[in-house]
Amino acid sequence: MVDESLKRRQVTAYNKLFRLFAVDIQYAVYHESDNKQSDDSGFGDIGDAGSNDNYDDWQSTRDLLTPTGSSASSSLGNQLQMLSGATAESFDYEWISKIDVPLKTKVKYKDKTLKVKKKSDYDDIVGLFLYQLSDRSDDNVQVQR
């Protein structure tokens, strides 16, 4: 359990960051499809790339969005993962928000459309969610060895 006074100080610090560095973005929440078609069940999400059938309408918010491609923390994290035998993941942006959205949610910032690939829940500590976003769709790429 987190000490309440520490939690208040953390929330105050994050609120200051939001006021200083937040940017306008839009997001469209993803919903799993209820009607599964039997003819393409073995092909993952091929054909879903341009489909907006499973997304809500775009909503606006003002949150923290930072690029992560060459940051020291993401590079160090990838190096530690590789040393431990795990595969390294790379993400283009991190989105810090008070909004709870599922994976695959789309995010628009300026001329980019990104997709939530990973989610970290810190709601019980500071009331925030950390999302890893990418504008690449590597989900269906097969590597030949």
Side-chain angles (χ1 to χ4, degrees), residues 2 27 36 40 42 57-58 64 67 75 80 84 86-87 102 106 111-112 117-118 120-122 124 127 131 136:
V2 177
Y27 66 96
K36 304 248 188 234
D40 67 349
D57 292 334
W58 290 100
L64 298 176
S75 297
L80 291 174
S84 66
T87 58
K106 290 182 182 179
D111 61 342
K112 294 186 180 298
K117 297 289 186 171
K118 189 175 178 183
S120 300
D121 183 351
Y122 300 105
D124 59 337
Y131 301 100
R136 295 184 309 266

Side-chain angles (χ1 to χ4, degrees), residues 52-118:
N52 289 324
D53 295 343
N54 296 339
Y55 289 91
D56 288 345
D57 292 334
W58 290 100
Q59 299 179 38
S60 296
T61 187
R62 193 161 170 79
D63 284 330
L64 298 176
L65 188 70
T66 59
T68 60
S70 61
S71 73
S73 63
S74 65
S75 297
L76 177 61
N78 283 339
Q79 289 174 5
L80 291 174
Q81 285 178 350
M82 288 187 285
L83 286 175
S84 66
T87 58
E89 297 175 284
S90 64
F91 301 101
D92 298 322
Y93 288 86
E94 287 182 345
W95 172 30
I96 301 173
S97 180
K98 296 177 183 181
I99 302 167
D100 185 8
V101 299
L103 296 176
K104 298 184 183 178
T105 293
K106 290 182 182 179
V107 176
K108 277 187 191 178
Y109 173 66
K110 293 188 178 183
D111 61 342
K112 294 186 180 298
T113 301
L114 309 159
K115 193 179 279 188
V116 173
K117 297 289 186 171
K118 189 175 178 183

